[in-house]
Amino acid sequence: MSERLTYLFRRYFDKTATGQERDELMRLINDPDSEAIVTSLMEEMYLSGNQTTHDPFAEGTREKILGAVLSENLADNFSDNVVPITPKRFLWMRYAAAIALFLGVSLGLYVYIDHNFQEKLTATKSRNDVKPGGNKAILTLSNGAKIVLNDAKDGTLAQQGNASVVKLANGELAYKQAGSTNEAPVYNTMSTPRGGQYRLQLPDGTLVMLNAESSITYPIAFTGNERVVTISGEVYFEVTKNKKMPFRVHFSDQTVEVLGTHFNICAYKDQPAFKTTLIKGSVKISKAGENQLLVPGQQAIYEPDSHKFNVKTVDTDDILAWKNGLFLFDNTEIDNVMLQLARWYNIEVIYKGPKPTLNFTGEIRKDSNLSRVFKILESTGGAKFAINGNMVTVEKK
């Protein structure tokens, strides 16, 4: 086999291989018994500088795909479709795919690798699944007109007073001023649906990120002696410093005041407490005449039922997991877990029989399909989940 494989490698790099020989090379590469000789040939070709010159990938794309192939993420993608497979086989599949990319094989032929295995995966794929949320939001202008931002093209979307509403190439919404800002305040509102999140650059340069089912109302230009916005849901801020114009966030009946800082507010009305977490700088939280100062790493928790603040030190990386593409559960009750999933996947949750009394700890990527999330949760052994359209049934295992 080694002589034949060496011959096919040479033919491929000399661009003299026939279509039949190319297919044979792919089959041999995919054979785990070829691992030693393939590794040797790969090293030899690389060190000699004889990599393929007819690269079908755009500049830099090969490295990204290769990194994904060799990472656990690709293995996760395969494992989203449950079929029995040994760890050794999995590793070799990824390694073979990496070799195919090294050889300059197109993505179409990359799928050719172990075509029968791919068919088995497709055949066993769950009929019911839900894709993760993404960058989705609606902008409501001062006249009530609405713009669906996920469908909008980059560039100027509307004119509001002396400001142009612009969707940037990175997907953010921003405002560009032209002329005087001394006119009567004009307000816009950005809101995210279930399964949506979005980034916004306020007129003063403050960066905002909205989690699912959240909103922010703000003027198209900050004037006077303060900058005031109103939010609901969960919103992360990186406030531009301006000592002459403090930045104030209103939510429920609370106000957070800052000069320039990074912080996160979680104020969903269907949760038992409102949480303000300071990442950098300082903030003052006001509620019915009561003030609470925070230092970085602290979280203020306000429970409406008790009308009291509770301040504790937290891991800010955990708090910001949502904006960094993760679900992070830390002994989290199943009700809270399902609430987060419902917002991100736009699903309805019902419990069948007695509700499982479970707490979950761990992290899951937010770009995972819902079926994969449930496989991970089911591995705890205490609950099982069924997807039927956008309806999810939870029952005790």
Side-chain angles (χ1 to χ4, degrees):
M1 179 187 293
S2 64
E3 291 182 0
R4 181 62 178 171
L5 195 49
T6 301
Y7 168 78
L8 293 172
F9 256 78
R10 302 297 181 194
R11 294 272 291 175
Y12 178 84
F13 280 99
D14 291 339
K15 300 183 183 180
T16 57
T18 65
Q20 186 175 357
E21 288 174 334
R22 185 185 177 104
D23 288 349
E24 183 182 0
L25 175 60
M26 290 301 101
R27 286 195 295 272
L28 289 175
I29 284 176
N30 190 53
D31 186 347
D33 293 336
S34 305
E35 183 172 358
I37 183 62
V38 169
T39 302
S40 176
L41 287 168
M42 285 277 288
E43 291 175 351
E44 178 184 340
M45 292 294 179
Y46 188 85
L47 293 174
S48 67
N50 289 331
Q51 293 95 329
T52 177
T53 57
H54 50 293
D55 191 344
F57 299 103
E59 183 178 355
T61 304
R62 172 187 302 280
E63 288 74 15
K64 292 179 181 178
I65 299 175
L66 186 60
V69 168
L70 294 176
S71 72
E72 290 299 327
N73 291 342
L74 185 66
D76 286 346
N77 290 338
F78 278 106
S79 63
D80 280 349
N81 308 282
V82 179
V83 291
I85 185 168
T86 65
K88 182 176 181 181
R89 172 66 169 161
F90 231 162
L91 290 171
W92 179 248
M93 283 292 297
R94 288 160 51 209
Y95 182 63
I99 295 169
L101 287 169
F102 176 85
L103 292 177
V105 180
S106 70
L107 286 176
L109 282 177
Y110 162 65
V111 176
Y112 170 85
I113 296 177
D114 201 347
H115 183 66
N116 290 335
F117 179 68
Q118 288 285 68
E119 287 183 341
K120 292 176 184 176
L121 288 177
T122 302
T124 57
K125 183 175 179 63
S126 171
R127 295 180 181 178
N128 292 316
D129 205 352
V130 180
K131 292 183 178 180
N135 292 326
K136 304 173 186 176
I138 295 174
L139 178 67
T140 303
L141 303 178
S142 58
N143 63 1
K146 297 181 183 297
I147 300 174
V148 180
L149 296 175
N150 36 304
D151 294 336
K153 295 182 179 180
D154 297 346
T156 301
L157 303 181
Q159 191 71 29
Q160 292 284 274
N162 291 324
S164 297
V165 185
V166 180
K167 184 177 180 181
L168 304 178
N170 64 2
E172 284 184 9
L173 193 73
Y175 289 77
K176 294 186 177 180
Q177 298 289 340
S180 173
T181 58
N182 294 323
E183 300 176 357
V186 174
Y187 290 89
N188 286 179
T189 297
M190 176 186 283
S191 56
T192 53
R194 281 192 168 199
Q197 62 181 26
Y198 216 85
R199 292 173 61 91
L200 165 68
Q201 188 179 125
L202 294 177
D204 65 338
T206 291
L207 296 178
V208 177
M209 184 167 179
L210 280 69
N211 202 350
E213 276 193 311
S214 303
S215 71
I216 179 170
T217 299
Y218 52 91
I220 63 166
F222 290 114
T223 59
N225 57 7
E226 64 178 355
R227 297 169 287 170
V228 179
V229 301
T230 302
I231 69 162
S232 66
E234 185 164 23
V235 184
Y236 169 76
F237 291 89
E238 293 184 3
V239 178
T240 299
K241 289 184 178 181
N242 186 340
K243 292 183 178 180
K244 295 181 180 180
M245 294 179 70
F247 191 96
R248 293 187 171 93
V249 182
H250 294 315
F251 61 98
S252 185
D253 54 355
Q254 295 184 52
T255 299
V256 174
E257 180 180 331
V258 302
L259 293 176
T261 187
H262 299 184
F263 60 99
N264 189 83
I265 297 176
C266 185
Y268 287 110
K269 293 181 180 179
D270 56 1
Q271 290 190 334
F274 300 143
K275 301 177 181 179
T276 301
T277 307
L278 181 61
I279 314 301
K280 179 182 178 182
S282 63
V283 300
K284 179 175 71 174
I285 307 172
S286 302
K287 168 71 172 68
E290 181 181 355
N291 295 327
Q292 184 68 56
L293 296 175
L294 297 183
V295 299
Q298 285 188 329
Q299 181 182 81
I301 304 170
Y302 178 75
E303 299 178 355
D305 290 344
S306 63
H307 302 288
K308 291 183 179 180
F309 279 110
N310 176 32
V311 176
K312 67 177 183 178
T313 300
V314 296
D315 185 333
T316 57
D317 287 341
D318 292 355
I319 304 302
L320 299 183
W322 72 268
K323 68 177 286 291
N324 295 324
L326 295 172
F327 293 110
L328 198 148
F329 305 127
D330 183 9
N331 200 33
T332 306
E333 294 181 353
I334 191 168
D335 280 352
N336 196 336
V337 170
M338 297 311 299
L339 195 58
Q340 293 183 51
L341 297 181
R343 289 196 189 104
W344 186 237
Y345 291 94
N346 189 19
I347 56 172
E348 298 296 328
V349 179
I350 59 174
Y351 292 91
K352 183 178 179 181
K355 184 183 298 184
T357 53
L358 294 172
N359 290 35
F360 297 96
T361 297
E363 62 180 44
I364 303 173
R365 291 174 59 94
K366 288 179 66 178
D367 59 4
S368 303
N369 278 5
L370 186 58
S371 62
R372 169 162 169 70
V373 175
F374 286 157
K375 287 174 198 169
I376 295 172
L377 297 180
E378 285 180 346
S379 68
T380 63
K384 59 181 179 178
F385 308 85
I387 304 172
N388 186 8
N390 71 335
M391 185 71 68
V392 169
T393 303
V394 185
E395 62 180 311
K396 189 174 182 179
K397 187 178 286 185

